[in-house]
Amino acid sequence: ETGVTQSPTHLIKTRGQQVTLRCSSQSGHNTVSWYQQALGQGPQFIFQYYREEENGRGNFPPRFSGLQFPNYSSELNVNALELDDSALYLCASSPWGGDFYEQYFGPGTRLTVT
Amino acid sequence: LAKTTQPISMDSYEGQEVNITCSHNNIATNDYITWYQQFPSQGPRFIIQGYKTKVTNEVASLFIPADRKSSTLSLPRVSLSDTAVYYCLVGVAPNNNAGNMLTFGGGTRLMVKP
């Protein structure tokens, strides 16, 4: 069984640029959620995708957007990067209608904005 | 969502039992209590979930008093590899896709010393 994978591992961008992060969900999981984790803090929910549509969103501006593909993989796009966007971005997958409390997280992508 | 309060950090020694208590005074009737573990540079990992009384699995035990206003995660005979951040979450129920967002607080940083 393949776990959740994310790419790239690390990324350095300049303020104002755009970035795309990628996530492959665990086999059999059709729901993907994205979280932002600033240094020393707990993860904060960005949004979730199910059946290629956004299915819930946290308190993040519209410049944070996403996609889910037919194979359930997902992308997180952030436009007009700000210094405060520097964080670990985590992807989590789960089966819809299953035991939703148990989400499976990937190792994350460390984004640094300079 | 019910707010949770946990100690910021705890120290322990190898072989000891560690108990981490989480306060959730405003827990709702339908809320469950879930604990996640996060190692450095990794995504969080589900440990255990419960509703009332006691739940035990191969990793930990979860004690929940009758009033459910607090809960205690118990890690038996910790080792150095148990050094991690432990998060208490309240409000996520099994098979409840409406509660599809995990809300993390700051967590408890457990340091296990030799």
Side-chain angles (χ1 to χ4, degrees), chain A residues 1-5 23-32 71-72 91-95 103-105:
Chain A
E1 184 179 83
T2 305
V4 177
T5 60
C23 170
S24 291
S25 62
Q26 181 160 319
S27 176
H29 288 184
N30 55 14
T31 304
V32 174
N71 66 354
Y72 307 133
C91 167
S93 73
S94 55
Q103 295 193 23
Y104 294 79
F105 284 82

Side-chain angles (χ1 to χ4, degrees), chain A residues 36-44 84 86-89 110, chain B residues 87 109:
Chain A
Q36 180 195 66
Q37 185 172 26
L39 199 61
Q41 298 182 23
Q44 300 299 307
D84 286 348
S86 295
L88 180 69
Y89 288 85
R110 173 72 63 185
Chain B
Y87 295 98
R109 297 181 180 279

